[in-house]
């Protein structure tokens, strides 16, 4: 069967696979990660596959419709997100207008959280929604596409039948992730890796996953609550190591990869096994991961020796009450201990901070800024809380009438940047955004920080290239008045 996996036209360089989809200030553009994993599964099953990532290529509607006409797929799998959903649905209408015989299946975070709402709308022309973790769901759907009598037997889909909306039971999550094809193989066949850029990773890069699901209870996280669940499932150390070998052999231009798990180091024993394999084989590949502040010093030492260049960590707040309110499950003391261990291990850290969680005030936001400046961080980000359907944060904001948006498109500004849609009892959206801009300047424009970054650029060509590429995009936000 001919299948098209489509990230439809929207805003140029819009990162739909991001945990908070938007056009970024740093120029980051994510790989279409989950579409790519599903493409690998469909490819493995023997289907003819094509991928189109319109925002990454800056394709417009007419161009993509022409590509669909030339390819003539039988099934199109369309990725979705909250801010883009109205545009996504409008493009599906265009597909159906020109190619009524093609079946369309929506996937992604927003479609999973809002399947009933989407299918209830008149004239959506959606044939199916594959909910949550959809790799095997779309494989089964493709196998049964011309057998409507079997649709209700496919786990994890929603569709309309005789005027009624049918939601089949959720599909169990994939337990053996080693069964999945390497996503880097999909990139090699169907994408151009130079279309993608991450500000904290050397360019060109490749983004992969070593696990799915997260046991943490953070109340804002869209991936664990909407897509992949709380049950942690990991690839074996050997399987991850073999993909790293594949990347070194097939993408010689890539010197650094992003392992973009929610929490790479849940199983630190498995991490150590992976590191030992990389060290013993002398693999010359740098890598970047996301982890929590419970990452141990001895694990960090081994990670650095094995090629880990940077760890992305969610510190989130400098106030313990706020951390408890968002169910982060960490303490400020843990963060300080982690910081000391990372410094001792000479591990670079990108710190993530957010404002607007329950109990947040102007005072607690300033505590977060001062706390971030105390830490030994290579780079930082400050963001207002983004609430997405399907999360506890969204329900909290909705229950308290904090959401000021009138439509999903309001989650973005006109230029595609994040737009804060929260007005809490203590803070307005404008105050939270202004504080994040202020905090960014206070952190990055310190003489101590500028000297540290200059030293990195003078001693590393890769750091110089990455920093300059990100700075060219980022500077207009860093130096803007107000």
């Amino acid at each position: 069967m001919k299948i098209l996996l489509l990230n439809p036209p929207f805003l140029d360089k819009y990162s739909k696979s991001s945990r908070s989809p938007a056009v970024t200030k740093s120029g980051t553009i994510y790989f279409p990660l989950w579409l790519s994993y599903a493409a690998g599964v469909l490819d493995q099953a023997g289907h003819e596959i094509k991928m189109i990532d319109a925002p990454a290529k800056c394709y417009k509607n007419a161009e993509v419709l022409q590509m669909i006409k030339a390819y003539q797929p039988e099934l199109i799998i369309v990725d979705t997100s909250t801010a883009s959903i109205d545009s996504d649905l409008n493009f599906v209408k265009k597909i159906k207008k020109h190619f009524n015989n093609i079946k369309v299946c929506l996937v992604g975070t927003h479609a999973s959280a809002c399947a009933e709402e989407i299918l209830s709308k008149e004239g959506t022309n959606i044939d199916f929604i594959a909910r949550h973790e959809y790799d095997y769901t779309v494989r089964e759907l493709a196998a049964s596409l011309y057998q409507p009598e079997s649709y209700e037997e496919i786990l994890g889909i929603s569709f309309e039948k005789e005027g009624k909306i049918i939601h089949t039971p959720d599909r169990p999550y994939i337990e053996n992730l080693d069964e999945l094809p390497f996503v880097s193989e999909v990139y090699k066949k169907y994408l151009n890796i130079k279309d993608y850029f991450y500000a904290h990773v050397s360019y060109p890069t490749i983004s992969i996953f070593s696990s799915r699901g997260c046991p943490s209870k953070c109340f804002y996280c869209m991936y664990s609550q909407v897509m992949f669940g709380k049950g942690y499932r990991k690839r074996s150390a050997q399987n991850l190591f073999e993909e790293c070998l594949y990347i070194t052999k097939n993408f010689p231009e890539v010197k650094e990869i992003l392992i973009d798990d929610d929490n790479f180091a849940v199983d630190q024993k498995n991490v150590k096994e992976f590191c030992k394999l990389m060290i013993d084989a002398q693999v010359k590949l740098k890598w970047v991961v996301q982890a929590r502040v419970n990452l141990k010093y001895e694990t960090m030492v081994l990670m650095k020796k094995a090629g880990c260049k940077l760890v992305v960590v969610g510190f989130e707040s400098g106030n313990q009450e706020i951390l408890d309110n968002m169910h982060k499950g960490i303490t400020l003391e843990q963060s300080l201990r982690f910081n000391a261990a990372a410094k001792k291990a000479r591990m670079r850290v990108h710190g993530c901070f957010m404002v607007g969680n329950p109990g947040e005030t102007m005072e607690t936001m300033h505590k977060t800024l001062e706390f971030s400046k105390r830490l030994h961080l290579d780079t930082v980000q400050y963001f207002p809380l983004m609430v997405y359907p399907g999360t506890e944060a969204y329900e909290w904001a909705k229950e308290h009438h904090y959401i000021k948006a009138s439509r999903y498109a309001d989650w973005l500004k006109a230029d595609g940047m994040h737009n804060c849609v929260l007005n809490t009892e203590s803070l307005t959206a404008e105050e939270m955004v202004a504080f994040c801009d202020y905090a960014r300047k206070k952190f990055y424009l310190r003489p101590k920080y500028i000297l540290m970054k200059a030293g990195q650029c003078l001693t590393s060509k890769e750091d110089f290239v990455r920093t300059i590429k990100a700075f060219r995009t980022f500077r207009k936000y860093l130096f803007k008045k107000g």
Side-chain angles (χ1 to χ4, degrees):
M1 177 180 293
K2 296 179 75 171
I3 302 173
L4 172 63
L5 293 103
L6 174 64
N7 184 7
F10 187 46
L11 299 167
D12 291 350
K13 307 301 181 183
Y14 176 74
S15 284
K16 191 170 283 182
S17 293
S18 168
R19 288 163 180 80
S20 294
V23 177
T24 70
K25 293 179 178 179
S26 64
T28 292
I29 172 71
Y30 279 58
F31 281 85
L33 290 157
W34 305 115
L35 274 185
S36 298
Y37 275 100
V41 169
L42 292 167
D43 193 7
Q44 192 179 59
H47 297 286
E48 183 180 341
I49 300 300
K50 183 178 180 64
M51 293 190 71
I52 299 176
D53 187 353
K57 289 289 192 181
C58 303
Y59 291 150
K60 306 307 178 189
N61 288 354
E63 294 173 272
V64 176
L65 289 171
Q66 189 59 42
M67 293 175 190
I68 294 172
K69 181 179 180 181
Y71 184 58
Q72 290 293 308
E74 298 162 80
L75 172 65
I76 301 180
I77 299 168
V78 177
D79 202 5
T80 65
S81 66
T82 295
S84 69
I85 188 62
D86 292 335
S87 175
D88 299 334
L89 293 176
N90 284 334
F91 191 73
V92 169
K93 289 180 181 179
K94 289 181 171 62
I95 292 174
K96 286 293 190 176
K97 179 180 178 180
H98 290 85
F99 317 102
N100 191 47
N101 60 320
I102 297 176
K103 298 292 186 182
V104 174
C105 175
L106 297 188
V107 295
T109 51
H110 192 87
S112 294
C114 302
E116 179 81 20
E117 176 186 306
I118 291 170
L119 291 172
S120 296
K121 290 182 178 179
E122 188 174 346
T124 56
N125 294 303
I126 304 300
D127 297 294
F128 310 98
I129 293 174
R131 306 186 310 272
H132 313 303
E133 187 176 73
Y134 57 83
D135 314 68
Y136 290 175
T137 303
V138 294
R139 181 180 66 184
E140 188 174 347
L141 176 62
S144 305
L145 192 64
Y146 297 114
Q147 301 165 20
E149 69 279 3
S150 66
Y151 290 166
E152 293 184 53
E153 299 172 14
I154 301 172
L155 296 177
I157 65 169
S158 300
F159 61 97
E160 187 176 352
K161 178 182 178 182
E162 298 175 354
K164 288 182 57 180
I165 297 174
I166 307 295
H167 303 287
T168 67
D170 288 341
R171 179 175 296 273
Y173 293 115
I174 301 168
E175 290 298 327
N176 183 8
L177 297 183
D178 286 0
E179 293 176 349
L180 295 173
F182 294 161
V183 75
S184 50
E185 293 180 338
V186 175
Y187 299 157
K188 185 170 179 62
K189 286 184 178 180
Y190 302 114
L191 297 174
N192 182 350
I193 66 167
K194 292 186 178 180
D195 290 335
Y196 305 95
F197 169 74
Y198 296 77
H200 58 294
V201 187
S202 295
Y203 175 86
T205 189
I206 279 179
S207 178
I208 66 174
F209 281 79
S210 72
S211 68
R212 292 184 181 182
C214 181
S216 302
K217 299 178 181 179
C218 309
F219 97 136
Y220 52 82
C221 183
M222 180 168 57
Y223 276 165
S224 64
Q225 294 182 72
V226 178
M227 291 298 287
F228 306 108
K230 301 292 186 182
Y232 178 73
R233 297 153 288 137
K234 65 180 184 296
R235 294 165 61 182
S236 66
Q238 182 67 36
N239 182 262
L240 179 58
F241 167 68
E242 288 173 1
E243 181 160 21
C244 288
L245 288 182
Y246 175 87
I247 291 170
T248 60
K249 293 175 182 176
N250 290 274
F251 298 94
E253 69 275 31
V254 170
K255 302 296 188 295
E256 191 170 316
I257 65 171
L258 173 62
I259 304 176
D260 202 22
D261 303 17
D262 286 330
N263 185 359
F264 174 73
V266 170
D267 186 340
Q268 296 192 40
K269 180 181 177 182
N270 194 61
V271 171
K272 290 178 180 178
E273 289 178 13
F274 166 68
C275 291
K276 289 173 182 175
L277 288 168
M278 296 286 280
I279 293 166
D280 291 345
Q282 298 183 340
V283 178
K284 303 300 181 184
L285 184 66
K286 300 294 183 183
W287 38 285
V288 174
V289 299
Q290 299 193 94
R292 286 169 64 86
V293 295
N294 60 357
L295 182 60
K296 296 178 180 178
Y297 168 73
E298 57 267 28
T299 307
M300 275 191 269
V301 170
L302 206 56
M303 286 167 58
K304 185 167 180 64
K305 188 176 180 181
C308 184
K309 185 178 178 181
L310 180 141
V311 177
V312 179
V313 176
F315 298 100
E316 315 305 1
S317 178
N319 180 277
Q320 189 60 53
E321 183 180 351
I322 303 300
L323 289 173
D324 294 342
N325 290 346
M326 69 172 82
H327 310 156
K328 184 65 183 178
I330 64 173
T331 66
L332 296 176
E333 184 57 36
Q334 277 182 300
S335 293
L336 291 170
R337 287 199 301 267
F338 167 85
N339 174 65
K343 187 174 182 179
K344 184 179 177 182
R346 295 182 175 274
M347 180 70 76
R348 293 189 187 181
V349 178
H350 173 81
C352 303
F353 299 91
M354 60 196 309
V355 300
N357 284 285
E360 193 82 84
T361 64
M362 190 63 71
E363 181 183 358
T364 61
M365 291 196 302
H366 278 280
K367 285 185 178 180
T368 293
L369 171 57
E370 293 309 309
F371 187 71
S372 70
K373 288 160 66 176
R374 287 176 61 190
L375 301 175
H376 182 70
L377 302 175
D378 186 65
T379 49
V380 294
Q381 63 185 51
Y382 304 91
F383 274 107
L385 171 66
M386 303 296 293
V387 294
Y388 295 101
T391 65
E392 187 181 348
Y394 181 84
E395 293 304 318
W396 162 77
K398 187 176 178 181
E399 178 185 346
H400 288 85
H401 307 288
Y402 290 158
I403 300 175
K404 67 172 186 175
S406 60
R407 53 180 187 153
Y408 291 124
D410 291 339
W411 263 248
L412 297 178
K413 298 177 182 177
D415 60 3
M417 302 290 176
H418 290 113
N419 184 40
C420 182
V421 298
L422 287 180
N423 276 330
T424 70
E425 293 175 356
S426 303
L427 295 164
T428 65
E430 290 75 18
E431 286 173 326
M432 285 185 267
V433 171
F435 174 80
C436 290
D437 291 339
Y438 169 81
R440 197 177 300 115
K441 292 176 185 178
K442 286 294 183 181
F443 185 91
Y444 281 117
L445 298 183
R446 292 175 297 158
K448 182 179 178 180
Y449 179 83
I450 293 170
L451 287 172
M452 180 271 289
K453 186 56 65 176
Q456 289 179 356
C457 290
L458 289 172
T459 57
S460 169
K461 181 181 177 181
E462 289 182 359
D463 279 327
F464 178 79
V465 172
R466 176 174 58 88
T467 301
I468 292 300
K469 186 174 177 63
F471 181 73
R472 284 174 177 167
T473 304
F474 189 55
R475 62 185 175 182
K476 62 182 177 181
Y477 304 102
L478 191 60
F479 294 109
K480 72 177 182 179
K481 295 181 180 180

